[in-house]
Amino acid sequence: MKSESVERKQGKSRSSLSVSPADLTSDKAAGNHDLEDSRYHTGFLRRTTQLLSRYGIETHGIAPVPAEDRLETRWYQMFFVWFSANMNILTFSTGTVGPAFFSLGVNDSLIVIVIVDLVVCLLPAFFAVFGPKLGTRAMVQARFSWGYFGTIIPTVLNVFSMQGFLILNCIVGGQTLASLSSHLDDTLGIVIIGIISLVVRHIRWRGIKMYESIAWIPNVIAFIAMLGVGYPQLRDNQSAPVSQATVAEIISFASILASSILSWCPMTPDYGVYHSPAASSARIFLYTYLAFFTASVTAHSLGAAFAAAAPNVPAWNGGFNNSSSVGGLLYSVLLPTGTFGKLLTALVALSIPSACAPTMYTFSTSFMAVAPWFAAVPRWVYILISEGVLIPVAIVGAKKFYTTFVDILNIIGYWSSEHVLFRRASFSEDQYPITTWASHSLLPSGIPAVVAFVCACGALVPFMSQAWYVGPVARHGSGDVGVYVGFVVGAITYALARSFEKTLYKRMSKSVV
C-alpha cells in the first residue's frame, strides 16, 4: 500500500466533498499565467491585477505551477539570485555582531563563522530543490506536513519573519545612504531604500532575474576595495589583546548566524517554481549551496574583521558611531578613496533590494496561504501593506540598531523531517499529490507537526537568552541555545508523532477491510 493512500482514504471519509484536480489547480490567466483566484477579484482589484499582468509583472498567486509551465532551464540563475541576496551589507552587518555585540575577538568570530556557514547553508540549499521539483511555494508545500489548517501556524510566523527581515534590510540600507552626506539621515535613507525595493519587486520577472545576476558586482568591488585600503589596520588588529571569549558568547553569536541563514529556508523554494524539474536534485542543491556559502562566509568574515578593528582606528570608530551604524563603518573605511568610495557606498546601499525582492515575494505568498479569503486578495496588495509597515518600523528600529537586529534574527530562528523520513526523499506524485494542495480533507491531518511545534516551543523557553527574556538554564551561562534545543526536540517529537499517526492509519484501514 502506498505511503499516503491510507491517509487520503481516511481524509475522504471525513468529507463528502469531491474536489477535482481541475478545480484545485485552476490558474489560467490573462497573459502568460493566470491570475490566482481571479474569480474573486472584482472592480479595481481585478482591473489593476490584469494591467500588471499585461505589462509582464508576475501576478501568479499560490497555486502550484504546472510542470508544463516550468520551462526555465538557466540553472545558473539559482546561483546568482542567492549569491546577490547574501553578498551585501546586511550579511556583512551580521558578521559585525560578534565583535560589536558579543565582544568577541576577530579570530574567535572567524572560527564560529566558518563552522556555522559551512553547516547551516546546507538547509536553504536543501529546500531550494522543492521549488523546481514540485512547483509549489514553501508555505503551500508545508501543507503536506502541517495539514491544511495546521499550516496557518508557520505561515503566520513566516509573514512576521519576512517583515522583520525587510525591516533589517531597510535599516542597514538607509544608514549606508545617510553616511554619504550630512543632508541625509537614517529616516530619508530608509524611505529611499523602501521605495526602490518596491519598484524592483514590481518589474518583470525576467528583469528581476537579470537584476539579481548583476546586483552582487558593486558589493564585491566594494569589499575588495575595503580590503585593499584597510589591510594594514586589519593586520595590526590581529595582535591586539582581547578578552577571553565565554562559551555563552560564542554560542549566542552562532545562534545569530544560524538564524540569519535559516531565515532563507522559506524563500528558496519560491524562486525556483518556474524552473524545469528536469535537472537533478544534486545540481539544484549544489548551485544554491555554493551561492549561500561563498557569499555568507565572505561577507560575515569581512564584517567581523572590520568591526573588531574599528575601536582601534579612530576614523572607522567615528563612522561606526559606537557600533550603531554599519553603513557608516563601510563608508569610513572607503573614505580614503574619495569620490570612488562615495560611489561604491551608494551602489552598495542601492543593491539592498536584491535581498528585499525575494523577501517581499515570500511575504506576499505567505500572506495568501494563511486562509482562502487571504488568497482572494491579489499579491500586489500585500506587498503594498508590507511597504506601509516596514518604513515606519525601520525608522524606529534604527535608533537602537543592534538590539533590533539581534532580537529580530533570534525571533526568526526560534520558529524555524517529513521529506526524508516519511516521503522517501521522493518528489513523485505518490509522495506529493499536488492536486490535493487546497483540500483539507485530502491533506495530512497536521497533528504531529502541531504537537512537535508546541513541544519545541516549550523546550526552548528555558534556554532562551534575549534582552526581553532570559530562561533559567541560560541564566547559568549556557548562552542562547534555544534555537538548537527547539530544533532537536521538534524533529524528534515530529518523527515519533508522525510514525504513530501512520501506524494508526494502517491499523484503521485493516480494521475497515
Side-chain angles (χ1 to χ4, degrees):
M1 184 176 293
K2 301 297 184 182
S3 62
E4 296 299 320
S5 60
V6 174
E7 291 175 72
R8 274 179 261 159
K9 289 178 181 178
Q10 187 265 355
K12 290 177 183 177
S13 68
R14 294 198 305 260
S15 173
S16 60
L17 297 174
S18 62
V19 184
S20 69
D23 291 334
L24 293 172
T25 58
S26 146
D27 193 35
K28 298 297 179 191
N32 295 330
H33 291 288
D34 280 339
L35 311 177
E36 180 69 56
D37 288 323
S38 60
R39 60 188 178 279
Y40 298 122
H41 302 170
T42 58
F44 173 74
L45 291 181
R46 185 179 182 87
R47 290 194 300 271
T48 304
T49 304
Q50 289 177 334
L51 178 65
L52 294 174
S53 179
R54 193 175 301 122
Y55 281 96
I57 295 173
E58 201 230 347
T59 54
H60 195 291
I62 59 172
V65 179
E68 58 269 20
D69 290 342
R70 283 178 263 151
L71 304 175
E72 183 60 71
T73 56
R74 289 175 291 182
W75 301 105
Y76 63 85
Q77 291 179 340
M78 301 194 74
F79 173 86
F80 284 113
V81 162
W82 303 117
F83 186 79
S84 291
N86 287 275
M87 181 61 79
N88 57 37
I89 192 170
L90 182 66
T91 312
F92 176 93
S93 66
T94 308
T96 67
V97 171
F101 194 80
F102 294 111
S103 303
L104 296 179
V106 63
N107 293 328
D108 292 329
S109 297
L110 292 179
I111 292 172
V112 174
I113 286 169
V114 172
I115 294 174
V116 171
D117 287 356
L118 195 64
V119 176
V120 182
C121 286
L122 294 168
L123 293 174
F126 169 74
F127 284 105
V129 178
F130 287 78
K133 293 299 181 181
L134 300 177
T136 57
R137 276 79 179 173
M139 292 298 102
V140 173
Q141 170 62 36
R143 293 179 179 180
F144 292 93
S145 300
W146 287 76
Y148 188 86
F149 297 108
T151 307
I152 294 174
I153 296 174
T155 300
V156 170
L157 290 172
N158 197 48
V159 167
F160 285 104
S161 295
M162 295 302 99
Q163 191 66 16
F165 201 68
L166 286 168
I167 290 168
L168 293 180
N169 275 290
C170 280
I171 291 175
V172 174
Q175 289 181 339
T176 305
L177 279 181
S179 68
L180 290 171
S181 171
S182 58
H183 299 293
L184 287 171
D185 59 10
D186 293 351
T187 299
L188 182 58
I190 287 169
V191 172
I192 292 172
I193 295 299
I195 293 174
I196 293 175
S197 298
L198 179 66
V199 172
V200 169
R201 183 60 209 101
H202 279 97
I203 63 178
R204 294 173 64 94
W205 180 256
R206 289 184 180 274
I208 290 178
K209 295 287 188 178
M210 185 178 299
Y211 168 75
E212 296 284 1
S213 69
I214 62 173
W216 58 273
I217 295 175
N219 295 322
V220 169
I221 294 174
F223 289 155
I224 293 174
M226 290 175 69
L227 279 174
V229 172
Y231 176 74
Q233 291 89 338
L234 295 179
R235 181 191 56 205
D236 293 341
N237 187 61
Q238 288 287 325
S239 57
V242 293
S243 59
Q244 182 68 34
T246 66
V247 174
E249 290 169 342
I250 291 174
I251 292 177
S252 296
F253 179 46
S255 297
I256 290 293
L257 293 172
S259 297
S260 69
I261 298 170
L262 288 173
S263 65
W264 291 104
C265 290
M267 287 184 254
T268 52
D270 293 4
Y271 259 61
V273 294
Y274 290 109
H275 281 78
S276 170
S280 68
S281 299
R283 185 177 184 181
I284 300 170
F285 174 87
L286 189 60
Y287 274 132
T288 310
Y289 178 75
L290 288 177
F292 271 94
F293 178 70
T294 54
S296 297
V297 76
T298 301
H300 286 158
S301 298
L302 289 174
F306 281 99
N312 301 317
V313 184
W316 295 4
N317 203 38
F320 205 12
N321 192 21
N322 295 320
S323 301
S324 64
S325 176
V326 176
L329 172 62
L330 182 141
Y331 178 60
S332 64
V333 174
L334 292 173
L335 195 59
T337 62
T339 304
F340 180 65
K342 284 191 173 184
L343 176 62
L344 282 180
T345 303
L347 290 176
V348 166
L350 297 177
S351 71
I352 283 289
S354 65
C356 291
T359 309
M360 282 185 171
Y361 183 94
T362 298
F363 171 87
S364 59
T365 56
S366 295
F367 227 131
M368 295 178 74
V370 172
W373 50 89
F374 285 101
V377 179
R379 199 176 68 212
W380 58 267
V381 174
Y382 294 118
I383 293 176
L384 292 179
I385 292 174
S386 171
E387 187 77 7
V389 171
L390 78 89
I391 289 178
V393 175
I395 290 171
V396 174
K399 306 305 178 184
K400 293 184 177 180
F401 173 70
Y402 273 107
T403 300
T404 305
F405 189 87
V406 171
D407 284 351
I408 287 179
L409 281 185
N410 272 311
I411 290 171
I412 290 172
Y414 274 126
W415 84 263
S416 307
S417 51
E418 167 86 4
H419 178 65
V420 174
L421 291 177
F422 300 108
R423 299 189 188 271
R424 304 173 187 174
S426 170
F427 293 99
S428 66
E429 175 65 19
D430 174 56
Q431 301 301 328
Y432 290 98
I434 299 302
T435 55
T436 66
W437 72 277
S439 173
H440 66 85
S441 62
L442 302 180
L443 288 165
S445 69
I447 294 175
V450 175
V451 170
F453 175 78
V454 172
C455 292
C457 288
L460 67 82
V461 170
F463 297 88
M464 292 176 64
S465 178
Q466 296 297 302
W468 42 273
Y469 176 77
V470 179
V473 177
R475 290 194 200 105
H476 290 83
S478 69
D480 186 14
V481 295
V483 173
Y484 312 110
V485 172
F487 179 82
V488 172
V489 171
I492 294 174
T493 305
Y494 180 75
L496 294 174
R498 185 75 167 120
S499 297
F500 174 77
E501 181 187 49
K502 293 179 75 68
T503 301
L504 181 62
Y505 284 155
K506 288 180 180 179
R507 289 180 179 177
M508 290 173 59
S509 66
K510 288 179 181 179
S511 64
V512 171
V513 175

